[in-house]
Amino acid sequence: MASDTLKATLVADKSFVIAEVDKRIYGSFIEHLGRAVYGGIYEPGHPEANAAGFRGDVQALVQALNVPIIRYPGGNFVSAYNWEDGVGPLELRPKRLELAWRTVEPNEVGTNEFMDWAKEVGSEVMMAVNLGTRGVDAARNLLEYCNHPGVTYWSDLRRKHGVEQPHRIKTWCLGNEMDGPWQIGQKTAVEYGRLAYETGKAMRLIDPEIELVSCGSSSSAMPTFPEWEAVTLDHTYDVADYVSLHQYYGNRDNDSANFLARTMDMEHFIKTVTSTCDYIKAKKRSKKTMYLSFDEWNVWYHSNDADSRLEPWSVGPPQLEDHYNFEDALLVGSMLITFLRHADRVKIACLAQLVNVIAPIMTEAGGAAWKQTIFYPYQHASAYGRGISLQPIVNSPKYDAQDYTDVPYLDSALVYNEESEELTIFAVNRHLEEGLQLTCDVRGFEGYRLIEHIVLHHEDLKAINTARDEQVKPRQASGTVCKDGFVETLLSKASWNVIRLGRTNSSNC
């Protein structure tokens, strides 16, 4: 190894505990938007469709991601949605103008169909209620319909619709992005705070076991951030369990070094919201800690221009269909790493979205389903990022980007699974031109051995996957060694890495 090779070190120790990782940080999102539902998870007549019209090939890919929770049905869609339109006999369901995305909603898929599908793929549902055009009554009725056992109007209506047992949905969003001028029924912070509190209060009277998510700012760039959080939480703190965060990043100016540093902004966003929550906690003399639900996050910028040319008022048009490249996968990996390093406060996170719409899974009408580049870091984190998040002690060279200074080339997180006795090192090398020689001190994990080193790398940052050509896919790295309590490896330039250690029969460490 040349003496001028970039070098980084990392120390892993069982005592450097951040928190238990809530598996729901690997959640996702399905909105009635574009081809997420119609032409995505649901396509009657497709060769892989089941009797209910849901695609088996899509289901298999969702199951491969092991998604623990899925937010539904929106998103901007929910702010003008009448949930009653989506239950009962299909032939009686109305078609509606959908104002958020200017499409027609046929209501072929509604609450019960989606709950059945979520059960099939092994996911819980995070249900959102409409606090744009509606309020307390619609929310409490939906909760009664979904969660109450029976002998009331709405719960008996569910049973009449063929669903004998309650859905028992645990987690509920009190509206969506209510600070946004694009939102149907936009609210001021005080208007939203009062409505969300009264709605949550009524919902808890029906089912005291539910969890509630109060709407935070639509992004950290909103002019009202973080005042929105301070004002709304002043109302909702006692009734809510989480406050939401939404954030998307793009690379329109094609500055890859700056793009890969965007998680510096995400770190600041999380810390600012956490501080605001703790301010309200102190103000109220509360013993309760408010947790964070990062229930919309992803890369999103490729599809915006194409969407502007779509004709309105069709069913399931191809909206927000970003075709992700390799560098997008790197940033998605770093965003997942950021959640792990904040596992003490970030308890839910939903990659937006799951199928076709800014998604890891894409489909062709009547044809194949396939994996986008971002599928892989999401899959790896979901598979190997469950356990205890440990604080890595990192020494890494840094760089300055257009919008950020002192950006570490090494972005990393550690997860220790006590049950399986495995340690996973997640690492992104942000350097676009050079490999990074990494030395990991794992002496605190005596007797652990190298299981594997998975790497996602491509020489072309703009490489994409298609239904017939998967250019970007993981492979096993060579040359990684574990000896005398140290892991030595070379992280390829611009790469996502998963280094797994455990008590196996592999090479000794």
Side-chain angles (χ1 to χ4, degrees):
M1 193 66 58
S3 60
D4 59 351
T5 299
L6 288 173
K7 295 180 175 64
T9 61
L10 180 154
V11 179
D13 194 281
K14 294 177 186 177
S15 62
F16 300 162
V17 173
I18 297 174
E20 181 81 21
V21 176
D22 191 318
K23 66 181 182 180
R24 293 176 298 173
I25 69 167
Y26 306 119
S28 193
F29 181 23
I30 287 283
E31 182 173 359
H32 283 245
L33 159 61
R35 297 192 309 124
V37 176
Y38 306 110
I41 64 172
Y42 176 80
E43 190 180 339
H46 188 278
E48 297 273 356
N50 63 17
F54 291 95
R55 288 181 56 159
D57 54 349
V58 173
Q59 177 178 319
L61 288 175
V62 174
Q63 289 172 318
L65 290 170
N66 195 8
V67 183
I69 194 166
I70 300 174
R71 185 167 171 249
Y72 175 84
N76 296 349
F77 171 83
V78 80
S79 291
Y81 179 51
N82 299 327
W83 69 267
E84 302 92 337
D85 292 344
V87 297
L90 283 174
E91 65 272 15
L92 299 181
R93 296 184 189 180
K95 293 180 172 60
R96 300 282 193 190
L97 291 182
E98 201 293 288
L99 302 184
W101 304 104
R102 303 191 76 214
T103 61
V104 170
E105 173 53 51
N107 285 304
E108 292 179 32
V109 173
T111 300
N112 295 324
E113 290 85 5
F114 190 79
M115 293 302 300
D116 287 345
W117 178 81
K119 184 177 180 180
E120 287 294 317
V121 300
S123 297
E124 296 178 13
V125 171
M126 175 195 282
M127 186 68 76
V129 300
N130 176 358
L131 294 190
T133 61
R134 307 186 80 181
V136 180
D137 260 1
R140 71 186 180 100
N141 294 343
L142 175 59
L143 177 61
E144 181 183 323
Y145 182 91
C146 289
N147 283 20
H148 198 67
V151 202
T152 66
Y153 175 81
W154 291 108
S155 59
D156 280 350
L157 185 63
R158 180 198 71 241
R159 296 168 70 189
K160 183 180 177 181
H161 292 160
V163 183
E164 182 64 27
Q165 297 302 317
H167 294 305
R168 296 187 176 90
I169 300 170
K170 179 181 180 180
T171 310
W172 296 76
C173 296
L174 296 168
N176 172 77
E177 293 185 356
M178 297 312 302
D179 60 333
W182 56 86
Q183 208 68 215
I184 307 298
Q186 179 193 11
K187 305 284 190 290
T188 67
V190 172
E191 288 171 340
Y192 170 75
R194 288 288 303 126
L195 177 59
Y197 171 73
E198 293 297 337
T199 302
K201 184 173 70 175
M203 293 174 73
R204 284 201 183 279
L205 289 171
I206 296 171
D207 187 347
E209 301 301 314
I210 60 173
E211 297 180 324
L212 296 173
V213 183
S214 181
C215 273
S217 296
S218 299
S219 79
S220 60
M222 293 297 289
T224 52
F225 173 75
E227 183 67 15
W228 172 273
E229 279 75 6
V231 173
T232 59
L233 286 174
D234 207 22
H235 294 282
T236 64
Y237 199 91
D238 293 334
V239 75
D241 302 282
Y242 308 91
V243 61
S244 69
L245 296 81
H246 293 180
Q247 193 69 59
Y248 300 95
Y249 295 112
N251 189 19
R252 283 188 169 275
D253 56 1
N254 198 29
D255 185 342
S256 297
N258 197 54
F259 177 61
L260 295 182
R262 293 290 186 198
T263 49
M264 303 287 282
D265 174 77
M266 178 178 262
E267 291 265 3
H268 184 259
F269 191 12
I270 291 171
K271 290 177 181 178
T272 303
V273 174
T274 298
S275 298
T276 308
C277 292
D278 291 346
Y279 160 67
I280 299 299
K281 177 181 181 178
K283 179 181 177 181
K284 289 182 172 290
R285 278 51 169 185
S286 177
K287 294 181 179 180
K288 183 177 80 174
T289 297
M290 184 67 63
Y291 292 105
L292 277 53
S293 174
F294 218 120
D295 50 45
E296 287 190 32
W297 67 274
N298 205 343
V299 173
W300 174 18
Y301 74 100
H302 298 283
S303 61
N304 297 41
D305 294 337
D307 282 5
S308 67
R309 298 190 293 271
L310 288 173
E311 289 294 323
W313 316 128
S314 61
V315 175
Q319 294 171 300
L320 278 62
E321 296 197 1
D322 275 34
H323 292 269
Y324 290 114
N325 58 38
F326 172 57
E327 68 180 358
D328 298 330
L330 294 179
L331 185 63
V332 164
S334 278
M335 294 169 89
L336 289 159
I337 283 171
T338 303
F339 296 145
L340 287 170
R341 288 203 303 261
H342 291 278
D344 56 332
R345 296 303 286 266
V346 178
K347 300 299 181 180
I348 303 172
C350 300
L351 176 73
Q353 293 188 17
L354 187 53
V355 182
N356 286 331
V357 176
I358 49 174
I361 299 167
M362 294 293 290
T363 70
E364 295 177 325
W370 47 278
K371 305 170 186 176
Q372 293 235 61
T373 63
I374 67 170
F375 183 97
Y376 290 110
Y378 181 23
Q379 182 185 41
H380 295 154
S382 180
Y384 307 121
R386 304 193 183 206
I388 298 170
S389 178
L390 302 177
Q391 181 65 55
I393 307 303
V394 173
N395 186 351
S396 169
K398 300 176 181 180
Y399 71 98
D400 291 342
Q402 178 67 34
D403 297 322
Y404 311 97
T405 58
D406 294 326
V407 182
Y409 283 117
L410 175 64
D411 195 15
S412 62
L414 304 170
V415 177
Y416 168 52
N417 190 311
E418 290 181 293
E419 183 177 349
S420 62
E421 293 189 296
E422 290 187 9
L423 172 69
T424 301
I425 303 167
F426 297 101
V428 170
N429 178 10
R430 290 182 172 119
H431 204 295
L432 301 177
E433 298 177 357
E434 295 186 39
L436 186 64
Q437 183 67 34
L438 176 62
T439 300
C440 303
D441 183 342
V442 293
R443 287 176 292 179
F445 294 85
E446 186 177 356
Y448 278 56
R449 299 166 175 86
L450 179 68
I451 299 174
E452 63 177 343
H453 177 178
I454 305 168
V455 62
L456 190 69
H457 171 71
H458 199 283
E459 287 296 319
D460 182 4
L461 291 173
K462 309 302 181 183
I464 65 170
N465 292 345
T466 68
R468 277 157 284 279
D469 184 14
E470 189 176 44
Q471 296 187 62
V472 181
K473 56 186 176 182
R475 59 174 173 80
Q476 292 293 321
S478 60
T480 302
V481 296
C482 186
K483 185 177 180 181
D484 299 329
F486 289 88
V487 175
E488 296 278 352
T489 189
L490 179 66
L491 305 182
S492 300
K493 67 178 183 180
S495 61
W496 159 260
N497 302 267
V498 183
I499 302 170
R500 299 177 57 219
L501 308 174
R503 296 189 184 276
T504 74
N505 295 321
S506 304
S507 57
N508 197 354
C509 197

